[in-house]
Amino acid sequence: MSRDVCVVVTARPSYSRIKSALVALRERSDVRLRLVVAASALLERYGSAVVYIENDGFEIAARVHMVLEGENLAAMTKTTGLGVLELATVFDNLRPDVVVTVADRYETLATAVAAAYMNIPLAHVQGGEVTGSIDEKVRHAVTKLADLHFVSTALARERVIRMGEEPDSVFVTGCPSIDLAAEVLKDPRLSFDPLQKYGGVGATLGLGEGYVVVIQHPVTTEHAAARRHVEETLHAVAALGLPALWFWPNPDAGSDGTSGGIRAFREQHAPRSIHFFKNMAPLDFLRLAYNSRCVVGNSSMGLRECAFLGVPVVNIGSRQAGRERGGNVIDVGYERGPILAAVRQQVARGRHPQDALYGDGQAGSRIAEKLATVALKIEKRLTY
Amino acid sequence: MSRDVCVVVTARPSYSRIKSALVALRERSDVRLRLVVAASALLERYGSAVVYIENDGFEIAARVHMVLEGENLAAMTKTTGLGVLELATVFDNLRPDVVVTVADRYETLATAVAAAYMNIPLAHVQGGEVTGSIDEKVRHAVTKLADLHFVSTALARERVIRMGEEPDSVFVTGCPSIDLAAEVLKDPRLSFDPLQKYGGVGATLGLGEGYVVVIQHPVTTEHAAARRHVEETLHAVAALGLPALWFWPNPDAGSDGTSGGIRAFREQHAPRSIHFFKNMAPLDFLRLAYNSRCVVGNSSMGLRECAFLGVPVVNIGSRQAGRERGGNVIDVGYERGPILAAVRQQVARGRHPQDALYGDGQAGSRIAEKLATVALKIEKRLTY
Amino acid sequence: MSRDVCVVVTARPSYSRIKSALVALRERSDVRLRLVVAASALLERYGSAVVYIENDGFEIAARVHMVLEGENLAAMTKTTGLGVLELATVFDNLRPDVVVTVADRYETLATAVAAAYMNIPLAHVQGGEVTGSIDEKVRHAVTKLADLHFVSTALARERVIRMGEEPDSVFVTGCPSIDLAAEVLKDPRLSFDPLQKYGGVGATLGLGEGYVVVIQHPVTTEHAAARRHVEETLHAVAALGLPALWFWPNPDAGSDGTSGGIRAFREQHAPRSIHFFKNMAPLDFLRLAYNSRCVVGNSSMGLRECAFLGVPVVNIGSRQAGRERGGNVIDVGYERGPILAAVRQQVARGRHPQDALYGDGQAGSRIAEKLATVALKIEKRLTY
Amino acid sequence: MSRDVCVVVTARPSYSRIKSALVALRERSDVRLRLVVAASALLERYGSAVVYIENDGFEIAARVHMVLEGENLAAMTKTTGLGVLELATVFDNLRPDVVVTVADRYETLATAVAAAYMNIPLAHVQGGEVTGSIDEKVRHAVTKLADLHFVSTALARERVIRMGEEPDSVFVTGCPSIDLAAEVLKDPRLSFDPLQKYGGVGATLGLGEGYVVVIQHPVTTEHAAARRHVEETLHAVAALGLPALWFWPNPDAGSDGTSGGIRAFREQHAPRSIHFFKNMAPLDFLRLAYNSRCVVGNSSMGLRECAFLGVPVVNIGSRQAGRERGGNVIDVGYERGPILAAVRQQVARGRHPQDALYGDGQAGSRIAEKLATVALKIEKRLTY
């Protein structure tokens, strides 16, 4: 008898972080994959992850619109409440044997609450890491609701166990996002023209002399400052003298601050070296990053995938504070001067050696194997 | 400048567990108390806590109906989602400086999520305890969302710290429910006739020769068995030969199993020694317990207040498993035989010595003092 | 190419009023029936319509728990809001060609709003009737959102057209509930013992000398009076001298008033001639009504099915005010005296002639035919 | 004793259509105004009506975020469901004597359902009009839920009565939006520089030689075509040879189509004669319209306020189809050619005579008078 494994994907980056596990689950005869696509993964404004999911041939068991609009925290909170409400109905109809939630975006807690309260065993991917902002609270709260933990590093496993989880429920699988990076390394050439393939807006750029990639998200609990933060990065990048490929942020509260800052900067400065993208197929994005001179911003992919790819990274601000990082990362604050200096230093230095800190490229199949075979239960108790 | 402290009360037992802190908060000039009454605290079927709250002279800042009907887990989950949605609006309108959530009922997580996501500092009362069932997941998830922790015991404090919370955010205040018990001890006489004052249904009883008190909740994750469990207790209590005052359960998923079991038993057996109550003012309830020969069931008050009151307790099943207990408690399983034997043993033994395990009666003022004066923040990070 | 017809059933009585159409839809090769079961149709407390639906062999495309608990109007309102929210997701996933909503219970407006706003053609069954209470507002609001109207009577059609609907969108099909009555007339014998088959609580009755059937719902906008109303009927029925088979009410706001009244009456008076049922299979219920001496209360089946069956009816209060009725009905107010007198008069009179006022027994197949074949559109405009 | 009148404002244009009534209500000693601001009225992206409301000195009793994000109908539907849910809580806490809902935007039905279901008398402003699209269904459904009707024209009153409403519940007050127009006529000079005062993006324009104003909303039920529609208007306006002041659309489903079309056009064509505004204080907006050579688009203000102001209007497409109009309007389809020709014709013709079709400027005080003094009731019945 096969097991029904329900994975809830709520955002473009979450899809990248679980895709290799989805592929592995789909290939197993002892698993029936039930994929739920929800929240910003359904929205064009945030990159329409759903289109990539369908193009990758996955069948979608349910779609759930749940993102509230607004440049405020109430919208983020209500999105989560709506997620709990609606995922309850989805789980009540699908009746899966286990539910999987990915990482630490705010809406992943909705998946966790709905599954835990419905007495469905919950698996969490990427627990045990440490960062700044609301993600930190979300991640560990999900850990306390989860019955299975698929973590990226040995240190993450140790932390989850110290939080009181049973050791035999915590598995170091590596992060599935590294699986995509490993796939890219098989043929890392930039075989497409990003502007031609993905459109976007802004300057028309030639990438032959090298370029940088920028992706900067608002830091939720510093919400009001989001606009100022992104402006500093914009000034630094505009002054760099290399083309920049810039990606719009996630739908967190504050993204309107970041988006508004970008929009205003474009109106005022019409920067001639920056092109803006909404989204990109995950493998294309990794190829783009691999071939860049530097990745700039505060995305966790700078610490995770870029470690494996050996790409130099300038990590800005507090969003990744506390997260493990390799030698490819320089940390800076929010001021344009230090940002620019650090980018120049990384561009001058060139590629770093591969670092398997967050995984060796086999996370997806390990996660699928565990989901298909480990004993499932919903009762647990603090171990001390 | 005074601080706005918002306390969310969602159930009759939660009110008992926070009332002394509410009184202390109301008396402070440096605090403005904003009381939100929600969920089953508004429902007649679950004892209309709101009536007691109003009778105690508290002003209610907002009321939120959010309990879904149904003998199923989806209802419990959706209640929580609805709570997140609606409390977001309440907090958005009240804009408190700090929010307080009490204990570990499933809907308390809604308060915690709404406050944490709205960037409002969250205080949690009664973290760090260990029990069975979904409460266990809820309690520790709330801990990971909370910024201040008011715990009942030194062991609870140690656990919260081991989970990665900063030691200076965790305060051993004792449990406010013990404050009510201490108040009762000043004059513990049973000065009212419960049947006359509170009505209820069932046998007309004389309490002169002693009586027992029964309160048994469904154990959520054993939902289907709730009816069978309560039937065993009903048979044991009916066979005891002492009058029994029985209280209806909480609105958890499965309470229809428990309630249905009680209703069917009444139809079939018309028990002549049991009277059923929906609810009682907290102090009256404690006086009733104090003067009983034994408290039977699975309420946490058997371990908490009854330890302080020295009342013998027979604790049934897994609901309180893992929770600290004093010498006044005998634990038994769900079978009528051992239940009956244990009750007889406790009735024969008589009163136990006072045990301050869960507090010394000053918890309310300690909690109010901390809420009024400690530095408030929303950023935290795992301590390891 | 077949048409996807989505029918939303939200309550036990709604199922009876649409069942024959569901059967006819299921049998058509040009239709794919997508049945959504929601609200009180899922709840044991309100008769578990879902069990009958499954026993009748229907496949359920989605289940949606949405009933809020509480003896108040806020619960009713929020149930409707939740229905709009959740049915949006259901329709977004099922993508039906047309949605069907039945009659005028408050939650039917949720189906209507969700379908109309999703640009899905909406068919309404039983518009154009006139009654008291909130149902009146609901029914006509649904008419203004609907694109197809399947009405029971010529007068109903005239009213719908006068409200500004296009005449060619309004079809007199008769009411599908009459189809069940017609089926019962093929063999109307009471071939089962209701107490044995359906359990229930209350007096053990012999039905050989005749009996009456009672079903009384709270009148929403007179909410506070619900308890008093039902007490009057209870006294009248207890005084009748014939056995009474009494059915519990719907989950409207106020049903706790009615239910509470019944429960209190049972505690105080232990009526020896009344047996209480939660629910019954629709055909069994109609056979029971057919063989009764009189149907008492305020259910619309007294005016509809009982007209066709020729059963004498005593209709109490304002709930059916304005609805067309045949010669089988005597209307009375809420006082026990006139109720008792009217029941005695009807019992003495005996069976009435068949009256096809609400249909000839072919409504289901007519509705299915129209749903399968008429041109569907979503644009309409007031005709004047 | 004063009456609590609760007005729910959900969008920028709704505020303009009710403001004079709010002012009149605030001034009455027999009324306590309770203003609820919700939905897009709270969002910066849609013009932050809330800022104008606060600047006009109104106290806000509750704010409710409820707009779902997304270029789809599910978002619109869920916004409405969320509105019903949350307004139930708001009304449950405020307990007003009467609730007022304005016009026919989709979310106004949420106010209507919540009030009607809570047994609160509901007043509807601007019923009885006829247009295209979903607004048509919404408007008349609200009429069937409302107890008081404040309509703009005699024809509207006749229609409401023909729909079955009691004649003495329907009052021709005129539209409050005309009151603002009348206020503007006292001093209609354009005393500010719109670009300087309101910023916006796009070409820097001199307005001395005349200009046109454009405001075009997506037509919900033609959702997919929204982008194509706006492009035609953009081409026509760009070809006109007069400066154009263009206002962004409402947050209906499809607004992303319209907004996306505008954004893409700006990227490709960088139109040198168009400046884009998000929003403007209502009186400033009317002064701008008054002094324009023509108003272009599909806003109802072209038919309403512009009739009173005598401003020439080119009305595009089906959105206002069926609505009464004066001699100042030329109707055209969605093609750029006829749009351009009609605008040129209107520009050449110049100002029209004043037409009091939608009101004489006293609507606000009439509505306030009725709300303060008419008998309130919640029971009604179809008049035929």
Side-chain angles (χ1 to χ4, degrees):
Chain A
M1 216 191 76
S2 78
R3 212 173 247 186
D4 274 23
V5 177
C6 177
V7 181
V8 183
V9 171
T10 58
R12 184 183 54 177
S14 309
Y15 179 55
S16 297
R17 289 201 194 156
I18 197 65
K19 184 185 162 185
S20 70
L22 294 176
V23 170
L25 285 165
R26 183 174 52 181
E27 286 169 1
R28 294 188 70 101
S29 60
D30 54 359
V31 163
R32 183 164 69 146
L33 174 61
R34 309 305 302 267
L35 187 56
V36 176
V37 180
S40 70
L42 292 170
L43 296 178
E44 195 186 331
R45 189 172 160 209
Y46 300 102
S48 295
V50 67
V51 174
Y52 297 108
I53 290 169
E54 287 180 323
N55 287 347
D56 289 338
F58 290 105
E59 190 186 345
I60 296 173
R63 291 155 201 264
V64 184
H65 285 278
M66 60 193 235
V67 179
L68 263 90
E69 176 150 357
E71 60 281 21
N72 55 76
L73 298 164
M76 189 174 87
T77 311
K78 290 183 174 190
T79 294
T80 306
L82 203 45
V84 174
L85 262 176
E86 299 237 29
L87 290 171
T89 300
V90 169
F91 296 159
D92 195 36
N93 280 285
L94 297 182
R95 304 209 165 267
D97 296 303
V98 58
V99 164
V100 180
T101 192
V102 183
D104 50 25
R105 288 175 51 85
Y106 69 92
E107 76 275 8
T108 60
L109 185 54
T111 304
V113 171
Y117 280 39
M118 302 282 289
N119 283 356
I120 304 169
L122 174 70
H124 182 212
V125 177
Q126 287 184 20
E129 306 190 10
V130 172
T131 63
S133 94
I134 185 72
D135 300 354
E136 176 76 5
K137 289 179 176 172
V138 171
R139 187 185 315 108
H140 304 319
V142 173
T143 291
K144 299 314 295 181
L145 295 170
D147 305 288
L148 287 173
H149 312 273
F150 301 128
V151 302
S152 296
T153 72
L155 176 55
R157 180 168 188 267
E158 187 193 318
R159 287 191 190 117
V160 170
I161 292 169
R162 286 186 70 178
M163 277 189 274
E165 298 300 298
E166 293 164 17
D168 63 4
S169 71
V170 193
F171 304 95
V172 181
T173 58
C175 174
S177 63
I178 305 302
D179 301 8
L180 295 191
E183 195 180 331
V184 159
L185 283 189
K186 292 176 191 163
D187 177 6
R189 286 171 305 175
L190 190 63
S191 52
F192 64 99
D193 177 346
L195 281 73
Q196 198 175 348
K197 184 164 179 186
Y198 290 99
V201 299
T204 304
L205 306 173
L207 306 180
E209 303 302 307
Y211 59 90
V212 298
V213 166
V214 191
I215 179 161
Q216 182 160 344
H217 301 287
V219 179
T220 310
T221 55
E222 302 178 21
H223 167 200
R227 184 166 179 148
R228 186 173 51 76
H229 290 167
V230 79
E231 284 169 354
E232 291 293 313
T233 307
L234 282 158
H235 279 288
V237 167
L240 176 64
L242 269 180
L245 307 180
W246 191 299
F247 289 80
W248 293 89
N250 289 333
D252 298 316
S255 74
D256 280 61
T258 302
S259 301
I262 295 175
R263 234 170 244 133
F265 189 90
R266 290 191 61 217
E267 290 286 338
Q268 287 167 41
H269 300 281
R272 278 172 304 179
S273 65
I274 312 181
H275 194 86
F276 296 86
F277 295 97
K278 270 199 179 161
N279 59 296
M280 204 163 271
L283 292 179
D284 283 352
F285 179 65
L286 288 175
R287 276 196 186 87
L288 203 67
Y290 179 83
N291 290 284
S292 77
R293 307 284 292 269
C294 182
V295 166
V296 182
N298 59 10
S299 167
S300 66
M301 68 79 73
L303 280 66
R304 307 171 85 87
E305 290 91 332
C306 289
F308 193 79
L309 295 174
V311 176
V313 167
V314 171
N315 179 64
I316 299 172
S318 65
R319 192 163 181 263
Q320 303 302 332
R323 190 161 260 163
E324 293 178 78
R325 61 202 66 200
N328 67 315
V329 177
I330 297 178
D331 287 285
V332 293
Y334 293 111
E335 295 73 34
R336 65 186 82 175
I339 294 170
L340 180 56
V343 177
R344 286 193 167 140
Q345 182 183 339
Q346 289 283 37
V347 166
R349 186 200 181 291
R351 191 171 302 282
H352 292 255
Q354 187 178 84
D355 184 341
L357 174 62
Y358 281 96
D360 61 0
Q362 303 297 319
S365 56
R366 280 192 201 102
I367 289 172
E369 167 76 17
K370 294 295 174 197
L371 286 170
T373 60
V374 297
L376 297 173
K377 63 191 184 59
I378 54 170
E379 283 285 352
K380 69 174 189 180
R381 197 165 289 184
L382 205 65
T383 51
Y384 39 81
Chain B
M1 215 192 75
S2 78
R3 213 172 247 186
D4 274 22
V5 177
C6 178
V7 181
V8 182
V9 172
T10 58
R12 183 183 54 175
S14 309
Y15 179 55
S16 297
R17 289 200 194 158
I18 197 66
K19 184 184 162 186
S20 70
L22 294 175
V23 170
L25 286 165
R26 183 173 52 182
E27 286 169 1
R28 294 188 70 100
S29 61
D30 53 358
V31 162
R32 184 165 68 145
L33 174 61
R34 309 305 301 267
L35 186 56
V36 176
V37 180
S40 69
L42 292 170
L43 297 178
E44 195 187 332
R45 188 172 160 210
Y46 300 102
S48 296
V50 66
V51 173
Y52 296 106
I53 291 169
E54 288 180 323
N55 287 347
D56 289 338
F58 290 105
E59 190 186 345
I60 296 173
R63 291 155 201 261
V64 184
H65 285 278
M66 61 193 234
V67 179
L68 264 90
E69 176 150 357
E71 60 280 21
N72 55 75
L73 298 163
M76 189 174 87
T77 311
K78 290 183 174 189
T79 295
T80 307
L82 202 47
V84 174
L85 263 177
E86 299 236 29
L87 291 171
T89 300
V90 169
F91 296 159
D92 195 36
N93 281 284
L94 296 182
R95 304 210 164 267
D97 296 304
V98 59
V99 164
V100 180
T101 193
V102 183
D104 50 25
R105 288 176 51 85
Y106 69 91
E107 76 275 8
T108 60
L109 185 54
T111 304
V113 171
Y117 279 40
M118 301 282 289
N119 283 354
I120 305 168
L122 174 70
H124 183 213
V125 177
Q126 288 185 19
E129 305 191 10
V130 173
T131 62
S133 93
I134 185 72
D135 299 355
E136 175 76 5
K137 289 179 177 172
V138 172
R139 186 185 315 108
H140 304 319
V142 172
T143 291
K144 298 314 295 181
L145 295 170
D147 305 288
L148 287 173
H149 312 271
F150 301 128
V151 302
S152 297
T153 72
L155 176 55
R157 180 168 190 267
E158 187 195 319
R159 287 191 191 118
V160 170
I161 291 170
R162 286 186 69 178
M163 277 190 276
E165 298 300 298
E166 292 164 18
D168 63 4
S169 70
V170 193
F171 304 95
V172 181
T173 57
C175 175
S177 64
I178 305 302
D179 301 7
L180 295 192
E183 195 179 332
V184 159
L185 283 190
K186 294 176 191 163
D187 178 5
R189 287 172 303 173
L190 190 63
S191 52
F192 63 99
D193 177 347
L195 280 71
Q196 198 176 348
K197 185 164 178 186
Y198 289 100
V201 299
T204 304
L205 306 174
L207 306 180
E209 303 303 306
Y211 57 91
V212 298
V213 166
V214 191
I215 178 162
Q216 181 160 345
H217 300 287
V219 178
T220 310
T221 56
E222 303 177 21
H223 169 198
R227 183 166 178 148
R228 187 172 51 76
H229 290 166
V230 79
E231 284 169 354
E232 292 292 314
T233 307
L234 282 158
H235 279 287
V237 167
L240 176 64
L242 270 180
L245 306 179
W246 191 300
F247 289 80
W248 293 89
N250 287 335
D252 298 317
S255 73
D256 281 59
T258 302
S259 301
I262 296 173
R263 235 169 244 134
F265 189 90
R266 291 192 62 218
E267 290 287 337
Q268 287 168 40
H269 300 281
R272 278 173 301 179
S273 64
I274 312 181
H275 194 86
F276 296 86
F277 294 98
K278 270 199 181 162
N279 58 296
M280 204 164 271
L283 292 179
D284 283 352
F285 178 65
L286 288 175
R287 276 198 186 85
L288 203 67
Y290 179 83
N291 289 284
S292 77
R293 307 284 292 271
C294 182
V295 165
V296 182
N298 60 10
S299 168
S300 66
M301 67 80 72
L303 281 66
R304 307 170 86 86
E305 289 92 330
C306 289
F308 193 79
L309 296 174
V311 175
V313 167
V314 172
N315 178 64
I316 298 172
S318 66
R319 193 163 180 263
Q320 302 302 332
R323 191 161 260 162
E324 294 179 77
R325 63 202 64 199
N328 68 315
V329 177
I330 298 178
D331 286 287
V332 293
Y334 294 111
E335 295 73 35
R336 66 186 81 174
I339 294 170
L340 180 56
V343 176
R344 287 194 167 138
Q345 182 183 341
Q346 289 283 37
V347 166
R349 186 198 182 293
R351 191 171 303 283
H352 291 255
Q354 188 179 82
D355 184 340
L357 174 62
Y358 280 96
D360 61 359
Q362 303 298 319
S365 57
R366 281 192 200 104
I367 289 172
E369 167 76 18
K370 294 295 174 197
L371 286 170
T373 61
V374 297
L376 296 173
K377 62 190 184 59
I378 54 169
E379 283 284 352
K380 68 175 189 181
R381 197 166 290 183
L382 204 65
T383 52
Y384 41 80
Chain C
M1 216 193 75
S2 78
R3 213 173 247 188
D4 275 25
V5 176
C6 178
V7 181
V8 183
V9 172
T10 59
R12 185 183 54 177
S14 309
Y15 179 54
S16 297
R17 290 203 193 155
I18 198 64
K19 184 183 162 186
S20 69
L22 294 176
V23 170
L25 285 165
R26 183 173 53 181
E27 286 169 0
R28 294 188 70 99
S29 60
D30 54 357
V31 163
R32 184 164 67 146
L33 174 61
R34 309 305 301 268
L35 186 57
V36 177
V37 180
S40 70
L42 292 170
L43 297 178
E44 196 187 329
R45 189 173 159 208
Y46 300 103
S48 295
V50 66
V51 173
Y52 297 107
I53 291 170
E54 287 180 323
N55 287 347
D56 289 337
F58 290 106
E59 190 185 345
I60 296 173
R63 292 155 202 263
V64 183
H65 286 278
M66 60 193 236
V67 179
L68 264 88
E69 176 150 356
E71 59 282 21
N72 55 76
L73 298 164
M76 191 174 86
T77 311
K78 289 183 175 191
T79 294
T80 307
L82 202 46
V84 175
L85 262 176
E86 298 238 28
L87 291 171
T89 299
V90 168
F91 296 158
D92 195 35
N93 280 285
L94 296 183
R95 304 210 164 267
D97 296 303
V98 58
V99 165
V100 180
T101 193
V102 183
D104 50 25
R105 288 176 50 85
Y106 69 92
E107 76 275 9
T108 59
L109 185 55
T111 304
V113 171
Y117 279 39
M118 301 282 290
N119 282 355
I120 304 169
L122 174 70
H124 183 212
V125 176
Q126 287 185 18
E129 306 190 11
V130 173
T131 62
S133 93
I134 185 71
D135 300 354
E136 175 76 3
K137 289 179 176 172
V138 172
R139 187 185 316 107
H140 304 317
V142 173
T143 290
K144 299 313 296 180
L145 295 170
D147 306 288
L148 286 173
H149 311 272
F150 300 128
V151 302
S152 297
T153 72
L155 177 55
R157 179 168 190 267
E158 187 195 318
R159 288 191 189 118
V160 170
I161 291 168
R162 286 186 69 178
M163 277 190 274
E165 299 299 299
E166 293 163 18
D168 63 4
S169 71
V170 193
F171 304 95
V172 181
T173 58
C175 175
S177 64
I178 306 302
D179 301 8
L180 295 191
E183 196 180 331
V184 159
L185 284 189
K186 292 176 192 164
D187 178 7
R189 287 171 303 171
L190 190 63
S191 51
F192 63 99
D193 176 345
L195 280 74
Q196 198 176 348
K197 184 165 179 187
Y198 288 100
V201 298
T204 304
L205 306 173
L207 306 180
E209 304 303 308
Y211 59 89
V212 299
V213 166
V214 190
I215 179 161
Q216 181 160 344
H217 301 287
V219 178
T220 309
T221 55
E222 302 176 22
H223 167 198
R227 185 169 178 145
R228 187 174 49 76
H229 290 168
V230 79
E231 284 169 355
E232 292 293 313
T233 307
L234 282 158
H235 279 288
V237 167
L240 176 63
L242 269 181
L245 307 180
W246 191 299
F247 288 81
W248 293 88
N250 288 335
D252 298 315
S255 72
D256 281 61
T258 302
S259 301
I262 295 175
R263 235 170 244 134
F265 189 89
R266 291 192 61 217
E267 291 286 338
Q268 288 168 40
H269 299 281
R272 277 173 303 179
S273 64
I274 311 181
H275 194 87
F276 295 87
F277 294 97
K278 269 198 179 164
N279 58 295
M280 204 164 271
L283 292 180
D284 284 353
F285 178 66
L286 288 175
R287 275 198 186 86
L288 203 66
Y290 179 83
N291 289 285
S292 76
R293 308 284 292 270
C294 181
V295 165
V296 183
N298 59 9
S299 168
S300 66
M301 67 81 71
L303 281 64
R304 307 170 87 87
E305 290 92 329
C306 289
F308 194 79
L309 296 173
V311 176
V313 166
V314 171
N315 179 64
I316 299 172
S318 65
R319 193 162 181 263
Q320 302 302 333
R323 190 160 261 163
E324 294 177 78
R325 61 202 67 201
N328 68 315
V329 177
I330 297 178
D331 286 287
V332 294
Y334 293 110
E335 296 72 35
R336 65 187 81 175
I339 294 171
L340 179 55
V343 176
R344 287 195 167 137
Q345 181 183 339
Q346 288 282 37
V347 166
R349 188 204 182 288
R351 191 171 303 282
H352 292 256
Q354 188 179 84
D355 185 339
L357 175 61
Y358 280 97
D360 61 0
Q362 303 298 319
S365 56
R366 279 192 202 103
I367 289 172
E369 167 76 16
K370 293 296 174 197
L371 285 170
T373 61
V374 298
L376 297 173
K377 63 188 183 60
I378 53 169
E379 283 285 353
K380 69 174 189 180
R381 199 164 289 184
L382 205 64
T383 51
Y384 39 82
Chain D
M1 217 193 75
S2 78
R3 211 173 249 188
D4 274 25
V5 177
C6 177
V7 181
V8 182
V9 172
T10 58
R12 184 183 54 177
S14 309
Y15 179 54
S16 297
R17 291 203 193 153
I18 196 65
K19 184 184 163 185
S20 69
L22 294 175
V23 170
L25 286 164
R26 184 173 53 183
E27 285 169 1
R28 294 188 70 99
S29 61
D30 53 359
V31 163
R32 183 165 67 146
L33 174 61
R34 308 305 301 266
L35 186 57
V36 176
V37 181
S40 70
L42 292 170
L43 297 178
E44 196 186 331
R45 189 173 159 208
Y46 300 103
S48 295
V50 67
V51 173
Y52 296 107
I53 291 169
E54 287 180 323
N55 287 347
D56 290 337
F58 290 107
E59 190 186 345
I60 296 173
R63 292 155 202 262
V64 183
H65 285 279
M66 60 193 236
V67 179
L68 263 89
E69 176 150 355
E71 59 282 20
N72 56 75
L73 298 164
M76 191 175 86
T77 312
K78 289 183 175 191
T79 295
T80 307
L82 203 46
V84 174
L85 262 176
E86 299 237 28
L87 291 171
T89 300
V90 169
F91 296 159
D92 194 36
N93 281 285
L94 296 181
R95 305 210 164 266
D97 296 303
V98 59
V99 165
V100 180
T101 193
V102 184
D104 51 24
R105 287 176 51 84
Y106 69 91
E107 76 275 9
T108 59
L109 184 55
T111 304
V113 171
Y117 280 40
M118 302 282 290
N119 282 354
I120 304 168
L122 174 70
H124 183 212
V125 177
Q126 287 185 18
E129 305 191 11
V130 173
T131 62
S133 94
I134 184 71
D135 299 355
E136 175 76 5
K137 290 179 176 172
V138 172
R139 186 184 316 107
H140 304 319
V142 172
T143 291
K144 299 313 297 180
L145 295 170
D147 306 288
L148 287 172
H149 312 271
F150 301 127
V151 302
S152 296
T153 72
L155 176 54
R157 180 169 189 267
E158 187 195 316
R159 287 190 190 121
V160 170
I161 291 169
R162 286 186 69 178
M163 277 189 275
E165 298 299 299
E166 293 163 17
D168 63 4
S169 71
V170 193
F171 305 94
V172 181
T173 58
C175 175
S177 64
I178 305 303
D179 300 9
L180 294 191
E183 195 180 333
V184 158
L185 282 190
K186 293 176 191 163
D187 178 5
R189 287 171 304 170
L190 190 63
S191 52
F192 63 99
D193 177 345
L195 281 73
Q196 198 176 349
K197 185 165 179 186
Y198 289 100
V201 299
T204 304
L205 306 173
L207 306 180
E209 303 303 308
Y211 59 89
V212 298
V213 167
V214 191
I215 179 161
Q216 182 161 343
H217 300 288
V219 178
T220 310
T221 56
E222 303 177 21
H223 167 199
R227 184 167 179 148
R228 187 173 50 76
H229 290 169
V230 79
E231 283 169 355
E232 291 293 313
T233 307
L234 281 157
H235 279 288
V237 167
L240 176 63
L242 269 181
L245 306 180
W246 191 300
F247 290 81
W248 293 88
N250 288 335
D252 298 316
S255 74
D256 280 60
T258 302
S259 300
I262 295 174
R263 235 170 244 133
F265 188 90
R266 291 192 62 219
E267 291 285 339
Q268 287 167 40
H269 300 280
R272 277 173 303 179
S273 65
I274 313 181
H275 194 87
F276 296 86
F277 294 97
K278 270 197 179 164
N279 58 296
M280 204 164 271
L283 292 179
D284 283 352
F285 178 65
L286 288 175
R287 277 199 184 84
L288 203 66
Y290 179 83
N291 289 285
S292 76
R293 307 285 290 272
C294 181
V295 166
V296 182
N298 59 9
S299 168
S300 66
M301 68 80 74
L303 280 65
R304 307 171 86 87
E305 290 92 329
C306 289
F308 193 80
L309 296 173
V311 176
V313 167
V314 171
N315 179 64
I316 299 172
S318 65
R319 192 162 180 264
Q320 302 301 333
R323 189 161 262 161
E324 293 179 80
R325 63 202 64 202
N328 68 316
V329 177
I330 298 178
D331 286 286
V332 293
Y334 293 112
E335 295 71 37
R336 66 187 80 176
I339 295 171
L340 180 55
V343 176
R344 286 195 167 137
Q345 182 183 339
Q346 289 282 39
V347 166
R349 188 204 182 287
R351 191 171 303 282
H352 292 254
Q354 188 179 84
D355 184 340
L357 174 62
Y358 281 96
D360 62 0
Q362 303 298 319
S365 56
R366 281 192 200 104
I367 289 172
E369 167 75 17
K370 294 295 174 197
L371 286 170
T373 60
V374 297
L376 297 173
K377 62 187 184 62
I378 54 169
E379 283 284 354
K380 68 173 188 181
R381 198 165 289 184
L382 205 64
T383 51
Y384 40 81

